[in-house]
Amino acid sequence: MIAPCGMNCNICMAHLRTKNVCDGCWSDNKPYHCTKCAIKHCELLEKTEAKFCYECQKFPCARLKRLDKRYREKYNISLTGNLIYIKINSLDEFIKLENDEWACNNCGKLICVHTGICSGCNQKIINID
């Protein structure tokens, strides 16, 4: 459930919603705009084995830098930082860290990065501007 760009699909609003749930970047069941993702369908990325952008010779490319800037400014997370963490520490360690970081203190379910709302208790946990 970790996209090539470093996005944790488990905390995405498309995955956390109750109808038409997205199964992540690697699945066929995702929103239309995700099927056209320039990063997921990058010709250089498709040549790597693990399919993460950090393995690319152009890491971080202009596309990833733009996406990373948008996520840093709007949601206070760095996708490039996520990828570097995965490269250094492993995918499993990143997932453990994310599960702890995005768990709601009220109910333990995941908080949506895009809305700041808990997927379990529906409380606004993080203010997203």
Side-chain angles (χ1 to χ4, degrees):
M1 288 294 287
I2 308 302
C5 64
M7 174 63 189
N8 177 357
C9 298
N10 286 312
I11 60 172
C12 176
M13 73 170 110
H15 177 69
L16 294 173
R17 64 186 172 209
T18 55
K19 292 183 180 179
N20 299 322
V21 175
C22 174
D23 292 327
C25 189
W26 297 105
S27 79
D28 292 330
N29 182 31
K30 56 187 166 237
Y32 177 76
H33 70 274
C34 292
T35 64
K36 302 296 180 193
C37 177
I39 293 174
K40 170 75 168 81
H41 298 288
C42 171
E43 64 283 349
L44 295 173
L45 180 63
E46 290 178 349
K47 294 178 184 179
T48 67
E49 270 186 45
K51 306 287 187 209
F52 287 105
C53 290
Y54 70 77
E55 294 185 314
C56 180
Q57 61 195 18
K58 291 189 175 184
F59 175 75
C61 68
R63 291 175 188 157
L64 183 60
K65 286 179 183 178
R66 283 191 301 274
L67 183 63
D68 183 70
K69 181 180 180 191
R70 190 167 72 237
Y71 268 75
R72 281 185 289 112
E73 290 174 354
K74 193 162 185 171
Y75 308 115
N76 199 30
I77 65 169
S78 171
L79 302 179
T80 303
N82 289 353
L83 288 168
I84 292 168
Y85 187 93
I86 293 167
K87 182 178 181 179
I88 293 170
N89 297 289
S90 83
L91 182 59
D92 289 338
E93 286 300 315
F94 175 72
I95 292 170
K96 286 179 196 173
L97 179 72
E98 288 283 284
N99 286 340
D100 289 342
E101 184 174 333
W102 292 98
C104 174
N105 289 331
N106 296 327
C107 72
K109 298 289 184 177
L110 291 174
I111 300 164
C112 176
V113 68
H114 300 113
T115 64
I117 297 173
C118 174
S119 61
C121 63
N122 213 31
Q123 296 293 311
K124 181 81 167 178
I125 307 297
I126 301 169
N127 286 325
I128 307 290
D129 295 327

